[in-house]
Amino acid sequence: MTTATTDTPNIRFRDPALEPVWEKVQGGERISFEDGLSCLQTSDLVALGQMADYAKRRLWGEKVYFVFNRQINPTNICVLSCTFCDFAKKKGDAGAYEMEMDEILGKLHPDMHEVHIVGGHHPDWPFERYEGIVRGIHEAFPSIHIKAWTAAEIDYFCKRFRMSEEEVLGRMKDAGLVSMPGGGAEVFSPRVRRELFPGKNTAERWLEIHRLAHAMGIRSNATLLYGHIETLEERVHHMELLREAEDEAPGFLAFIPLEYQVGDTHLVARQASAVEDLRTIATSRLMLDNIPHIKAYWVMIGEATASIALNFGASDLDGTIGEERIAHAARAASPVGLARNRMLRLISDAGKTAVERDALYNEVHVYDN
Ligand code: V47
């Protein structure tokens, strides 16, 4: 990671539990599980934000990244029945869909720098259909980086098609895959998995697939689905496991806290508050000292909170997206896509410098404010 110089703020703490955290952050020392918990529990939001912004500025200065991208969800038909998900449908359900290649290609444009592909675990599609989506896009738009398939999908392909994970990832890479999105991690807690997504990959399996991807030269992201039945301890534990995985097999590009959208699944009475979003983003910046970027995913937390989060440790806004179906199936209030100039506005409102990037964080354009 690059190091940008930065002024050290003079923080006036109202919560003494944060003082030892600040000592460590300034000294470049790793913060502990207990420190992470203090950050998630604090009501001293201003001090937490100042610490996280300092950690972010030390890495990236005033720069905040975004990508001109498109999300494609090729099908919502899924063999799983995760209780937090409004997106998945069974075959024959009203609203179930499967995209053909023409439709997928019709959503892309050569000026885009990333296509983000994630979908349901379809019961009948052969492996070649998933591989063909990657190859077809790569052949038609060789300059667009393909970020495709979560570890949950890779795990499904291995089981369904009796292939090793090396073979699945190797064939996808040959077809044109450059990186993997961070979905499917949910919360690395056996308790939460039993209750919400018993059919999906375990934490160990998710981490194993990402470690292997990194070893094969495929960069990836990691997510945390928060704001439902998980405890604060489980959130911090999740971050600790990711930090360990990055130490062992480096390759994560970004961590994305995904705020649970209540939609029709109603695991809790109401969505997490903006304060909860900011605490989670700031804590992840401080805990994940070895992962380059923390994303403020405007689709789930909304544009206003995402803009504020750029002063709470986030260094990336994801992208213009064009169309999004997972959060919007759960009635996310955000628009389905944002124009470039709206992204620039969110970044300038936060007083930061906008940098358009590609999927691997190569800088495409630095905007003057
Ligand atoms: O894994 C499903 C989540 C994820 C809901 O890597 C829900 O750059 C909230 O992974 N409320 C897919 N979340 C999306 C994803 C992602 C998004 C943005 C950027 C990146 C990246 C990855 O969506 C799933 C699941 O955890 N999800 N239902 C819901 N009701």
Side-chain angles (χ1 to χ4, degrees):
M1 286 195 246
T2 57
T3 307
T5 50
T6 184
D7 298 337
T8 306
N10 183 14
I11 305 180
R12 297 177 59 172
F13 289 97
R14 286 190 296 116
D15 178 358
L18 296 184
E19 288 179 25
V21 180
W22 183 224
E23 288 294 311
K24 291 181 193 173
V25 171
Q26 286 182 96
E29 198 184 319
R30 186 158 270 192
I31 71 168
S32 67
F33 177 90
E34 289 71 25
D35 294 331
L37 202 53
S38 298
C39 293
L40 280 182
Q41 287 167 335
T42 194
S43 54
D44 195 353
L45 197 64
V46 173
L48 177 65
Q50 284 179 296
M51 293 195 295
D53 185 54
Y54 171 80
K56 180 263 166 193
R57 283 186 290 117
R58 203 161 50 184
L59 292 168
W60 307 112
E62 297 301 335
K63 288 181 176 175
V64 167
Y65 294 81
F66 75 98
V67 60
F68 179 39
N69 71 348
R70 179 84 199 201
Q71 232 182 79
I72 306 267
N73 308 116
T75 180
N76 60 353
I77 299 176
C78 190
V79 297
L80 298 179
S81 304
C82 304
T83 54
F84 54 78
C85 182
D86 272 318
F87 169 69
K89 300 271 185 229
K90 298 297 172 207
K91 257 175 112 174
D93 281 356
Y97 72 86
E98 303 178 47
M99 285 183 188
E100 297 301 329
M101 205 57 212
D102 288 355
E103 191 184 346
I104 292 175
L105 294 179
K107 292 180 185 294
L108 300 176
H109 188 278
D111 285 352
M112 290 173 179
H113 287 104
E114 175 190 273
V115 54
H116 171 168
I117 311 172
V118 58
H121 300 13
H122 196 286
D124 309 324
W125 281 12
F127 181 73
E128 289 70 23
R129 181 142 179 192
Y130 297 97
E131 185 183 36
I133 291 174
V134 175
R135 176 163 294 114
I137 293 176
H138 184 57
E139 283 172 3
F141 298 97
S143 64
I144 304 183
H145 276 157
I146 302 175
K147 177 177 86 178
W149 318 128
T150 65
E153 286 159 299
I154 301 294
D155 180 49
Y156 176 65
F157 301 157
C158 293
K159 290 183 181 132
R160 172 100 178 78
F161 307 113
R162 295 179 198 283
M163 290 162 72
S164 69
E165 40 288 0
E166 284 87 349
E167 193 183 350
V168 169
L169 290 171
R171 279 180 61 174
M172 288 297 178
K173 194 175 173 195
D174 288 346
L177 180 140
V178 168
S179 64
M180 282 168 61
E186 319 311 1
V187 188
F188 295 146
S189 149
R191 179 192 74 85
V192 176
R193 177 171 179 269
R194 265 194 313 277
E195 290 199 36
L196 303 189
F197 51 98
K200 209 177 229 177
N201 52 216
T202 59
E204 293 71 29
R205 183 80 178 130
W206 191 97
L207 291 164
E208 182 190 3
I209 289 171
H210 280 260
R211 277 195 294 258
L212 177 66
H214 296 172
M216 292 173 69
I218 299 170
R219 306 292 300 270
S220 74
N221 292 336
T223 56
L224 159 72
L225 182 67
Y226 70 95
H228 47 89
I229 64 161
E230 88 292 355
T231 62
L232 297 185
E233 286 80 358
E234 285 165 338
R235 276 190 219 175
V236 182
H237 178 61
H238 185 100
M239 293 176 196
E240 266 196 322
L241 290 184
L242 285 173
R243 191 166 70 176
E244 274 170 31
E246 177 64 13
D247 280 346
E248 285 165 26
F252 286 116
L253 289 164
F255 174 71
I256 309 111
L258 298 176
E259 186 210 69
Y260 166 64
Q261 310 292 298
V262 175
D264 289 329
T265 58
H266 271 291
L267 297 176
V268 285
R270 63 176 182 84
Q271 211 124 318
S273 66
V275 168
E276 199 56 32
D277 297 333
L278 296 174
R279 268 199 210 108
T280 306
I281 286 173
T283 303
S284 63
R285 179 61 289 162
L286 297 170
M287 281 295 290
L288 299 172
D289 55 2
N290 53 358
I291 296 191
H293 293 281
I294 306 297
K295 271 190 199 179
Y297 191 43
W298 60 266
V299 174
M300 292 187 186
I301 60 178
E303 290 172 78
T305 308
S307 184
I308 300 169
L310 303 180
N311 278 289
F312 277 76
S315 52
D316 191 282
L317 266 185
D318 196 273
T320 47
I321 289 178
E323 181 180 52
E324 195 281 342
R325 293 179 187 244
I326 298 175
H328 289 94
R331 290 200 292 272
S334 56
V336 290
L338 284 187
R340 240 198 208 106
N341 58 6
R342 194 122 157 214
M343 293 247 115
L344 295 174
R345 179 72 195 272
L346 294 187
I347 298 171
S348 68
D349 281 354
K352 303 289 184 185
T353 304
V355 181
E356 191 169 334
R357 62 166 175 88
D358 67 14
L360 297 173
Y361 289 83
N362 297 304
E363 294 186 1
V364 173
H365 189 81
V366 181
Y367 290 83
D368 295 329
N369 285 336

